[in-house]
Amino acid sequence: MTEPEMFDLTGKTALVTGATQGLGMAMAKGLGAAGARLVVNGNSSQRKIDEAVSAYEADGVEAAGNRFDVTNEDEVEAAVEKVQSEVP
């Protein structure tokens, strides 16, 4: 199995926290390049999340985003449920 085959994430969804900048964005870009659909999260403004989603989509990666605080268990559970309900 070749390296690209080992990391093929086509048909998978990756929920990436902190994906509006820095290391989170770098990880999301790598996952997207491997074929994953991205769900971008950040604790910043929805505008910043929307800008990150636009950047991923400009690279040809299917992406969506929503804001929630990963330290708030209720918000995390609601976000995960939303992602699960939207994944085919």
Side-chain angles (χ1 to χ4, degrees):
M1 182 177 287
T2 66
E3 187 173 322
E5 291 171 334
M6 288 174 46
F7 295 105
D8 181 17
L9 298 175
T10 302
K12 305 290 184 183
T13 299
L15 171 59
V16 185
T17 62
T20 60
Q21 63 184 1
L23 290 175
M25 183 171 259
M27 291 298 297
K29 285 182 179 182
L31 293 166
R37 174 185 181 269
L38 300 178
V39 177
V40 176
N41 164 255
N43 197 17
S44 55
S45 69
Q46 186 63 46
R47 179 191 55 79
K48 189 161 183 156
I49 293 168
D50 293 342
E51 289 172 358
V53 167
S54 293
Y56 297 123
E57 290 176 334
D59 289 339
V61 176
E62 184 182 351
N66 56 359
R67 185 196 172 289
F68 65 89
D69 182 351
V70 296
T71 66
N72 182 315
E73 189 174 337
D74 292 335
E75 288 185 20
V76 171
E77 287 179 11
V80 169
E81 286 176 13
K82 180 179 180 196
V83 170
Q84 289 174 329
S85 72
E86 294 173 354
V87 175

